[in-house]
Amino acid sequence: MWMNLLLAIATLLLLAGAFGALLGYASVRLRRDDDSLVEQIDAVLPQTQCGQCGYPGCRPYAEAIAEGDAINKCPPGGEATIQSLANLLDVEPQPLDAEHGEEQPKRVAYIREAECIGCTKCIQACPVDAIVGAPKFMHTVIESECTGCDLCVAPCPVDCIDMIEVARGIDDWVPPHPADRPLTHDGPVIATDQRPAEASA
Amino acid sequence: MGTQFDFPGGIHPPDNKLRSLQTPIRQAPLPDRLTVPLRQHRGDPGRVVVAVGDHVLTGQPLSEGQPGRSVPVHAPTSGTITAIKSHEVPHPSGLEETCILIEADGRDQWYELAPCPDSASTAERYDHLHRTGVVGLGGAGFPTRDKLQSAEAAPDVLILNGAECEPYITADQALMRERPDSVVAGALALWRLVGAGRCLIGIEDNKPDAIEALRQSAEGTSVEIRVVAARYPSGGERQLIQLLTGLEVPSGGLPADVGVLCQNVATAVAVDRSLRLGEPVIQRITTLTGEALARPGNIEARIGTPLDHLLFEAGLDPQRLHRLIMGGPLMGFDLTTTGLPLIKTANCLIAGTAGEFPDPPIPQPCIRCGLCEQACPVDLLPQQLYWFASAGEHRKAEHFDLFDCIECGACDWVCPSHLPLTDYYRHSKGVLRQEQKEQAEADHARQRFEERQARLEREQADREERRRARQQAREQRHNVAPAEASEAATAAASSPTAPGPDRETLIQRRDQARQKVEEAQAQLAEAREQTPEAVPKLERALNKHQKRLDAAEKALSDAQEDT
Ligand code: SF4
Ligand code: SF4
Ligand code: SF4
Ligand code: SF4
């Protein structure tokens, strides 16, 4: 009888120990998974490093999302990024949180070179080293490197940096969704499921 | 006569080719003004090498290409460059791209052409083709040099594509029946260039005149004329390869992967002329057809000729014109204006009437009849693709091999619900390509960002290192003079925070700040009189300097109080 009791206690202790070890191991493993999750989230974010999400950069926001923050705070990424995040994390996509800004067409910084005093403030602000220049000389934005984050605009003491919209060329053209095309037809609309908006109008 | 191989699906639309085959190929009169788009190929536009006001000769390079990325364009006739600017180009988007506008002088004086020397190596010959602007003339406009170079080893089979399966288009047929010798010469030139085991010319059995002419011209050579049964889209590159060799190009692969090289017949002729005569691609044969034209036919015209010039030549009745299509009725796209230039890839222009091209009926819901699957030459599931594409689930469509779709439009043609299926696929592909591009940009930005972070850290570490070294040096000095060291130690102990700048520096700073304020005031006064638009900016600057001066003054008075 006593023997059985001792055996039961010993078994339970052993089991507790074994599961404890397993849990400890799992937590180590999980942390590593966490890291790779942050990587995956970071890979989906647009890497503008603009901080509009309220974090100091894309990576910190990725970390916050991994810890459960909302996925709709990134205006440069917009709907597409939210959709990708929702797919990745297997959650419902939400509309972009307007508090953090609106989705805008891609822009790049442009320095009005005649006005630049060469203070290098913008270089220090640019997270992707897209500005070249030396102290006291005019500075220039390398357009292909600029992510349009806006961060160089505020530090400039003479306000000579403009954000200009990038002209969209044929390379950026996406053939329209057929339902978005204007109807060339002037006959009566029979099918209603294709374009519910017009059918109800 | 047929071949033992086959591809799945396919359709038999009415071919409507006779209309444009009544007359031989005509020469289009030289227009007064030409518009040459910088980009008439897959890839990026080349770099302009001429300037406005320059006089150029026929065949003179206007831009410079970079092998693998861009292909040069050449002056289609002699004349003066009047502008280099954005102009509408034939593209489904209707957008503008940079074009070179030339006012012809009517003399059509040729630039000195350099044929490719016989001693040239294969690589030099490829580059020669690149310099003369040779691209696929069948419609896709893929740079010929890049296509030839995509094969690492000599292909087993060289196929010349003369199938021309799409209704209405007869440009290749006209070329083959009227100039069979140059087609065979082109085949031989290409064959010599790539060194394939065999050379076949694939042609549909609905072109007996062209078959007969080619057979005669090919007599005595080892070029084989292969006739295939007419069925759309037998002229698709992959479909023709499958028909003639039984080989299937793997999904996402190239014909080179199965040891085949495929070139359009017109391209072969251009290759021959480029190598033998040094002639760049400045003209092409285009089919002008459709019921709104009184004189349809094939016309050889200079690149850059305005389409309205060609349409006028062909007797366009603007009253009857309902749809203007570049390319064929299945794979072509609608043009909304006739003010566009002829480009290297334009093999056909259809001016259709309302009776010929009635507006498509309103699409009905998919009834899952499965006809589209039977018609698809690539064995896709068009209905499934449509489902995903219309719902915006482009990734899922990609998993169902969306990118294998050749956009042939066979599924549209059979769909009893009149769904514009191919348009959905084009949209889906566009969205996915755009996403890929954005992803690449984001990855690039992340790399730049991480590099910068690493650099900043390095700089920080360097600074620390230097500071430590300085401190060490100081300590050593102190060891030599221990009295000094203890003095410094007591000073540090009495004021643990870093000691502020001394009075003299503060005074200096204040004076500097004052000077700046004065300068700014002077500038502002000047600007008020001369450049009023700069005033707000200078006011802001003055404000800033004023604040700095205030701060400097305050720091100075604080310091004076302390002592
Ligand atoms: S140049 Fe300005 S807008 Fe562009 S990436 Fe740098 S900081 Fe951002
Ligand atoms: S911050 Fe403004 S003034 Fe200073 S270097 Fe940059 S562009 Fe020039
Ligand atoms: S358009 Fe695409 S899906 Fe439709 S039949 Fe052609 S290849 Fe198949
Ligand atoms: S042919 Fe049209 S209706 Fe039939 S299954 Fe395909 S998409 Fe649906």
Side-chain angles (χ1 to χ4, degrees):
Chain A
M1 176 69 198
W2 277 106
M3 201 53 215
N4 274 355
L5 196 64
L6 281 180
L7 205 70
I9 292 173
T11 318
L12 282 178
L13 275 178
L14 218 73
L15 276 175
F19 282 121
L22 201 73
L23 274 178
Y25 175 69
S27 80
V28 171
R29 274 302 296 262
L30 261 184
R31 181 128 24 91
R32 214 180 293 150
D33 269 355
D34 243 25
D35 261 5
S36 77
L37 181 64
V38 172
E39 290 286 321
Q40 283 173 15
I41 297 173
D42 195 34
V44 172
L45 295 174
Q47 302 303 317
T48 324
Q49 317 293 354
C50 61
Q52 289 181 67
C53 50
Y55 295 93
C58 296
R59 178 96 197 177
Y61 180 39
E63 279 158 12
I65 294 178
E67 249 135 56
D69 199 352
I71 59 170
N72 60 347
K73 295 186 174 179
C74 174
E79 296 300 326
T81 295
I82 295 173
Q83 189 65 46
S84 306
L85 285 171
N87 284 348
L88 177 66
L89 302 169
D90 210 8
V91 295
E92 276 301 306
Q94 302 147 306
L96 183 66
D97 187 347
E99 203 182 295
H100 295 273
E102 291 166 13
E103 191 172 356
Q104 281 180 331
K106 183 171 160 44
R107 303 183 307 162
V108 290
Y110 171 77
I111 298 180
R112 293 194 302 274
E113 291 173 356
E115 289 165 50
C116 168
I117 56 172
C119 69
T120 76
K121 289 242 160 54
C122 54
I123 295 197
Q124 292 160 36
C126 177
V128 291
D129 279 341
I131 304 179
V132 284
K136 302 245 158 67
F137 286 95
M138 69 177 196
H139 285 48
T140 308
V141 176
I142 312 169
E143 200 190 311
S144 60
E145 305 295 349
C146 174
T147 64
C149 69
D150 249 16
L151 293 180
C152 53
V153 174
C156 176
V158 291
D159 272 342
C160 71
I161 306 182
D162 291 327
M163 296 303 294
I164 49 176
E165 238 175 70
V166 184
R168 299 214 134 219
I170 284 181
D171 287 332
D172 293 309
W173 180 73
V174 174
H177 192 285
D180 294 341
R181 261 187 331 210
L183 262 189
T184 46
H185 215 273
D186 32 15
V189 176
I190 308 165
T192 50
D193 62 334
Q194 283 289 316
R195 23 186 71 244
E198 272 184 31
S200 61
Chain B
M1 275 249 284
T3 46
Q4 68 265 49
F5 306 113
D6 202 5
F7 67 87
I11 53 173
H12 294 273
D15 74 7
N16 284 321
K17 291 190 189 242
L18 278 180
R19 168 183 292 276
S20 55
L21 287 169
Q22 303 303 320
T23 50
I25 300 173
R26 279 176 282 160
Q27 294 293 327
L30 267 184
D32 302 332
R33 283 188 194 80
L34 298 100
T35 307
V36 185
L38 277 185
R39 169 152 62 178
Q40 304 182 37
H41 53 267
R42 286 274 177 86
D44 300 333
R47 203 176 59 84
V48 181
V49 295
V50 289
V52 174
D54 284 4
H55 185 264
V56 290
L57 299 176
T58 312
Q60 183 173 340
L62 298 177
S63 69
E64 188 178 70
Q66 194 186 344
R69 294 194 58 168
S70 51
V71 180
V73 292
H74 300 77
T77 186
S78 59
T80 311
I81 295 178
T82 53
I84 301 174
K85 60 168 194 185
S86 273
H87 189 281
E88 277 185 318
V89 292
H91 187 269
S93 67
L95 289 174
E96 297 190 344
E97 277 217 314
T98 311
C99 296
I100 298 179
L101 275 57
I102 297 177
E103 177 126 16
D105 61 12
R107 290 199 293 272
D108 200 22
Q109 257 173 338
W110 277 78
Y111 188 63
E112 197 178 325
L113 301 181
C116 192
D118 288 339
S119 58
S121 68
T122 309
E124 282 165 358
R125 280 163 193 271
Y126 286 173
D127 284 342
H128 181 85
L129 294 180
H130 168 77
R131 274 198 306 279
T132 47
V134 183
V135 301
L137 298 178
F142 201 81
T144 302
R145 173 200 164 276
D146 300 343
K147 195 167 176 181
L148 295 177
Q149 205 141 58
S150 68
E152 271 146 35
D156 304 323
V157 192
L158 167 66
I159 294 178
L160 288 207
N161 188 343
E164 200 167 50
C165 58
E166 197 165 355
Y168 284 87
I169 313 177
T170 57
D172 288 345
Q173 181 171 0
L175 173 74
M176 290 185 290
R177 74 173 186 188
E178 286 177 47
R179 304 177 191 169
D181 289 341
S182 57
V183 173
V184 172
L188 292 172
L190 258 179
W191 196 0
R192 231 176 296 126
L193 189 59
V194 299
R198 291 189 296 157
C199 173
L200 318 176
I201 301 182
I203 181 167
E204 271 191 346
D205 63 6
N206 58 0
K207 308 175 181 53
D209 44 0
I211 296 169
E212 192 43 46
L214 276 182
R215 282 233 165 93
Q216 275 175 17
S217 293
E219 223 158 88
T221 72
S222 337
V223 176
E224 299 167 47
I225 313 296
R226 290 296 190 81
V227 179
V228 299
R231 174 170 45 136
Y232 181 82
S234 67
E237 185 171 79
R238 284 153 192 253
Q239 285 63 45
L240 189 65
I241 291 173
Q242 216 170 340
L243 274 178
L244 295 184
T245 66
L247 297 167
E248 205 169 325
V249 180
S251 166
L254 292 170
D257 298 341
V258 293
V260 179
L261 176 73
C262 197
Q263 289 286 353
N264 167 271
V265 282
T267 315
V269 173
V271 166
D272 179 43
R273 297 185 72 86
S274 154
L275 294 176
R276 203 160 40 81
L277 308 171
E279 193 184 293
V281 179
I282 56 157
Q283 58 185 1
R284 70 155 299 138
I285 300 173
T286 297
T287 305
L288 301 174
T289 182
E291 283 176 15
L293 297 183
R295 294 181 295 279
N298 282 287
I299 195 159
E300 188 162 34
R302 298 290 166 95
I303 302 298
T305 306
L307 297 183
D308 35 21
H309 183 85
L310 296 177
L311 291 169
F312 178 77
E313 269 308 302
L316 173 72
D317 179 355
Q319 245 69 63
R320 299 189 62 207
L321 178 66
H322 180 63
R323 266 181 82 187
L324 186 64
I325 302 170
M326 180 166 275
L330 286 145
M331 294 183 78
F333 54 91
D334 279 60
L335 302 179
T336 46
T337 147
T338 55
L340 303 160
L342 181 73
I343 54 174
K344 292 179 190 175
T345 50
N347 53 1
C348 181
L349 198 59
I350 307 175
T353 58
E356 202 177 6
F357 289 97
D359 284 324
I362 298 288
Q364 305 285 323
C366 167
I367 54 169
R368 295 185 175 269
C369 63
L371 287 176
C372 50
E373 274 171 57
Q374 287 165 31
C376 178
V378 204
D379 256 347
L380 298 175
L381 300 170
Q383 176 206 126
Q384 206 64 37
L385 291 178
Y386 157 68
W387 225 248
F388 292 136
S390 61
E393 299 188 276
H394 308 299
R395 296 272 166 83
K396 287 193 186 150
E398 196 180 0
H399 290 147
F400 276 74
D401 297 323
L402 172 68
F403 280 97
D404 282 352
C405 164
I406 58 168
E407 297 173 25
C408 66
C411 48
D412 290 31
W413 198 75
V414 296
C415 178
S417 292
H418 309 293
L419 288 162
L421 298 170
T422 319
D423 287 341
Y424 281 100
Y425 311 149
R426 290 195 182 111
H427 169 69
S428 244
K429 286 181 183 180
V431 171
L432 288 167
R433 285 204 188 101
Q434 195 63 20
E435 273 179 17
Q436 272 164 14
K437 201 173 142 194
E438 273 162 19
Q439 187 65 50
E441 278 169 8
D443 289 342
H444 181 72
R446 182 185 307 108
Q447 200 194 342
R448 300 267 308 183
F449 177 63
E450 281 166 4
E451 277 165 14
R452 178 185 158 92
Q453 293 305 95
R455 198 195 71 219
L456 292 181
E457 270 163 33
R458 218 166 38 237
E459 282 172 4
Q460 181 72 25
D462 279 357
R463 264 201 298 278
E464 301 257 308
E465 185 58 36
R466 271 204 300 278
R467 204 172 50 89
R468 241 202 322 279
R470 266 204 307 277
Q471 198 165 358
Q472 245 166 25
R474 211 180 307 137
E475 267 162 27
Q476 256 162 20
R477 230 185 308 127
H478 291 172
N479 285 346
V480 176
E484 233 177 274
S486 64
E487 205 178 282
T490 44
S494 67
S495 60
T497 49
D502 63 17
R503 210 170 144 250
E504 240 150 74
T505 345
L506 286 176
I507 292 177
Q508 211 180 336
R509 275 191 201 163
R510 185 203 52 192
D511 290 344
Q512 271 175 1
R514 188 170 287 157
Q515 199 186 337
K516 284 225 169 129
V517 170
E518 278 159 13
E519 270 171 23
Q521 276 165 340
Q523 271 177 359
L524 186 58
E526 195 180 316
R528 282 227 166 85
E529 284 170 11
Q530 289 165 12
T531 45
E533 69 277 7
V535 166
K537 216 172 300 153
L538 286 166
E539 272 173 358
R540 262 198 304 276
L542 174 61
N543 237 336
K544 240 176 234 175
H545 290 312
Q546 187 65 50
K547 274 196 199 121
R548 277 197 205 126
L549 176 60
D550 293 345
E553 261 163 358
K554 183 163 180 298
L556 185 60
S557 65
D558 285 352
Q560 270 162 343
E561 262 166 42
D562 280 355
T563 46

